[in-house]
Structures are given as structure tokens and as C-alpha cells.
Amino acid sequence: MGTTQPIRDREALRKFKDFYVTEAPNPRNHAIIIIGLNTALRINDILHLTYSDVYSNGKVREHITVIEKKTGKKNRILLNKEVRITLTKYHAVLRKTKLYRNGNLFLFPSPRSEGMPLSRFQAYRIICMAAHAAGLSEHVSCHSMRKTFGYHAWKQGTDPVIIMEIFNHSSFRITKRYLCIEQDDKDDVFRNIRI
């Protein structure tokens, strides 16, 4: 079994993001993927988001504050335009669900366990289905979304130290491992350097 990988290829990433819009429409599943790709949160933190973490008076908040389950560290995250649009659309659907009307506080409520969030296993199935449809059958997991965020932030020129801060990593060594830098990434530097 290989290490979880980021989604590097832009076209595959587009197909992965759009799967629950175009191929198997599901606003909840689409929102999970968009949040995962754009916030760098671990899946457990995404699944434990509550309605009030994300919405205020029915509107998507500009920032969310999360106490990370794994580390206990506080993380304040700006919700970018793509996340805000997705969550606005999801809000219209969520408010109509029986789970929401019955008082489940979670953004992604479990349909099977009353008062609980969607399970990590179900999230894994959601991610794998979209990944398979995008042709990404190997080494993709829930954690791939977090790694994809870091990889594309780095490729777009974000200082790795800032990525380390966003991830709340205790060392740059961990962040470096998350970026999954491969030979083609190094080749791009040599190909494009102008001295």
C-alpha cells in the first residue's frame, strides 16, 4: 500500500471536484470535497463542523475557527469564494432535511446515528468514488484533499513556511513530506530558472 498522494493533475482535479455536481449530483458530498480542498482541514475536523461554525443568521461566515481534533491547536480559516458559493448552495438543501429540522447540529449529519456527524468511513467512500471517476484510483484517501491543498499552494508560489503554519505542523520536515515533491517538480525548477 502506497502513501496517500495529492491530486497533482489539474484536469483530474477538476473532474474530482465536479463529480458530485455533474456525474452524481449531491450537494453534501460536493461541499465535503470543496471544503477539504480549500481549507486544508483534516477530514475529522470537516465532519465535526457544526451548522453554527459555518453559518451565522443563515449566511456563510467569512472565517471559521476550528480546534483541531488531532492536535488541539486552534486554527482560523478564511472561507474563499468557491467554498462560500458551495456552502450557500448546500445551505438551501441542508435546511430542508429532516436531520436538520430534528436538531442535528452537524454540518454533515449522519443519516444513521442520531445527533452524530457523517462517519469517516462514509467520507472515505465519497472521496474514493469521485477519485475513481476522475481516474485517480491509486493512493487517494480523505487526506489527499489536505495534501492537494498544500501541493497546489506550493506550486502557485506560496512560501512553504506559510503552508507549514496553515497545516499547524510542528516542523518543516512534516510539511515537506506533505508536499510530496517528485522529480518532475524539481525538473520544472531547472527548466524555468532564469539566472
Side-chain angles (χ1 to χ4, degrees):
M1 182 171 175
T3 303
T4 295
Q5 293 293 310
I7 302 169
R8 291 179 175 83
D9 181 77
R10 286 294 209 179
E11 181 59 19
L13 180 57
R14 184 195 60 75
K15 288 178 182 177
F16 176 75
K17 286 172 51 175
D18 291 349
F19 178 73
Y20 289 110
V21 173
T22 59
E23 301 298 317
N26 186 311
R28 179 200 66 190
N29 296 354
H30 181 66
I32 290 169
I33 287 174
I34 296 304
I35 291 170
L37 291 172
N38 287 280
T39 64
L41 287 171
R42 291 175 184 87
I43 195 66
N44 199 31
D45 294 321
I46 293 169
L47 296 176
H48 280 86
L49 288 171
T50 64
Y51 180 88
S52 61
D53 288 335
V54 175
Y55 300 104
S56 175
N57 298 319
K59 304 278 188 220
V60 180
R61 294 180 185 275
E62 185 175 344
H63 289 87
I64 59 172
T65 301
V66 176
I67 306 296
E68 296 177 350
K69 301 276 183 221
K70 182 176 179 179
T71 65
K73 295 178 182 176
K74 189 178 200 177
N75 201 346
R76 187 166 190 255
I77 300 163
L78 174 94
L79 298 179
N80 68 23
K81 184 178 179 180
E82 184 173 17
V83 174
R84 293 172 60 78
I85 289 169
T86 300
L87 287 173
T88 298
K89 290 176 183 174
Y90 178 58
H91 185 260
V93 173
L94 177 64
R95 288 181 51 106
K96 294 176 185 175
T97 66
K98 183 179 177 182
L99 294 165
Y100 173 81
R101 290 192 313 269
N102 287 345
N104 190 315
L105 303 175
F106 291 103
L107 184 62
F108 303 111
S110 169
R112 293 197 173 117
S113 301
E114 191 174 323
M116 297 296 291
L118 194 67
S119 73
R120 186 180 170 90
F121 178 73
Q122 184 61 25
Y124 175 75
R125 290 178 61 204
I126 290 165
I127 301 307
C128 286
M129 188 175 289
H132 182 73
L136 301 164
S137 56
E138 285 190 44
H139 311 302
V140 174
S141 71
C142 295
H143 215 57
S144 293
M145 295 188 300
R146 184 167 158 90
K147 286 187 173 187
T148 299
F149 173 92
Y151 180 80
H152 286 281
W154 171 68
K155 289 296 276 188
Q156 292 172 28
T158 303
D159 186 325
V161 173
I162 294 174
I163 296 170
M164 182 180 111
E165 285 292 314
I166 289 169
F167 280 150
N168 259 334
H169 285 158
S170 56
S171 77
F172 183 68
R173 182 178 49 80
I174 298 168
T175 304
K176 182 180 168 190
R177 194 172 66 235
Y178 264 59
L179 296 180
C180 299
I181 298 167
E182 293 191 347
Q183 186 61 47
D184 62 330
D185 299 310
K186 294 189 280 185
D187 290 351
D188 283 346
V189 172
F190 289 114
R191 188 176 296 110
N192 296 317
I193 191 77
R194 301 292 179 257
I195 299 178

